Amino acid sequence: MIKLILPAEVKKLLSDKELFGRISDDSITYDDFYPPNNTYLGIYHDDNLAGFWWLIPDNNITVDVHCNVLKDYRKHSKKFAKEFADYMITNHEGQIFKLICKIPEGFDDVYHFTKNSGFVDEGIDRLSIMKNGKILNRRILGITMQELKTWAQ
C-alpha cells in the first residue's frame, strides 16, 4: 500500500543507519538532516512502514523520484514498484509527464531495480555527488507516464 507520509515519519525511518547511508551524501549527518518540504509516499507491507518514495519536482512536468526501502523488505521491491506505478497513474496522470532518477555509481542493486521497473538509461550526471570521500558520477534514468502505464499492465 502507498500513502502520503509526513517528513517526521521519513526522519524516523532514516534512523536505520544502512538506509540513511544509502540516501545521504557526505555533506550531512543523520542528526543534522531534516527531510525537506517535498512529497513522501510511504510504502507499507502488512501495515508496517517499509520505506518511502521521495518525490522532488525537477520542473513543471518532471519529478525526480527516489525509492528508499528498509533492507528486510527489499525482497518485495517489485511489488512496491508496481504499487507506486499504480499510485502515480491514478493520482498524477495528466499532471506529471515524466519521472527521472539519478543513481550514484556503485549502487548496482538500485540501478537494476530501476531498470526492472521500466526506466531507461538517459545519460550520466558527471562527478555530481560525494559518497564516502569520493566524488562520483550518477546514472540518469527516466520513464514517461505513458511508458509507466505500459510497464504496469
Side-chain angles (χ1 to χ4, degrees):
M1 175 178 63
I2 302 280
K3 69 178 184 178
L4 286 169
I5 60 172
L6 298 172
E9 294 170 284
V10 170
K11 176 80 174 185
K12 185 177 177 185
L13 266 177
L14 290 177
S15 67
D16 179 275
K17 289 181 183 183
E18 191 269 344
L19 188 60
F20 184 76
R22 290 173 71 86
I23 71 128
S24 63
D25 63 22
D26 289 0
S27 69
I28 196 156
T29 66
Y30 173 78
D31 291 334
D32 295 330
F33 178 79
Y34 191 79
N37 189 20
N38 295 128
T39 300
Y40 303 96
L41 303 174
I43 301 168
Y44 289 85
H45 182 75
D46 294 335
D47 294 325
N48 296 313
L49 187 56
F52 65 97
W53 291 91
W54 186 349
L55 283 64
I56 305 166
D58 185 64
N59 59 44
N60 287 338
I61 63 168
T62 303
V63 173
D64 192 353
V65 299
H66 302 270
C67 182
N68 308 281
V69 177
L70 294 168
K71 193 172 190 172
D72 290 345
Y73 292 98
R74 291 186 190 143
K75 60 188 168 208
H76 305 290
S77 291
K78 185 162 179 103
K79 173 183 162 247
F80 298 155
K82 175 73 169 77
E83 290 174 348
F84 174 72
D86 292 342
Y87 180 94
M88 293 301 291
I89 292 162
T90 300
N91 294 286
H92 296 289
E93 188 174 22
Q95 302 165 356
I96 295 171
F97 179 76
K98 185 175 183 181
L99 305 174
I100 60 169
C101 61
K102 296 177 183 175
I103 303 167
E105 291 176 329
F107 288 83
D108 293 339
D109 59 333
V110 178
Y111 174 75
H112 293 296
F113 163 73
T114 306
K115 292 281 288 183
N116 289 334
S117 299
F119 285 69
V120 297
D121 290 296
E122 296 195 340
I124 300 291
D125 187 11
R126 297 179 326 111
L127 304 174
S128 58
I129 192 167
M130 184 169 293
K131 297 284 287 178
N132 303 317
K134 295 181 181 179
I135 299 175
L136 303 174
N137 295 334
R138 292 184 295 175
R139 297 171 175 156
I140 303 168
L141 292 92
I143 190 168
T144 66
M145 289 296 280
Q146 185 57 51
E147 292 165 340
L148 188 66
K149 277 179 86 168
T150 301
W151 176 84
Q153 293 177 351

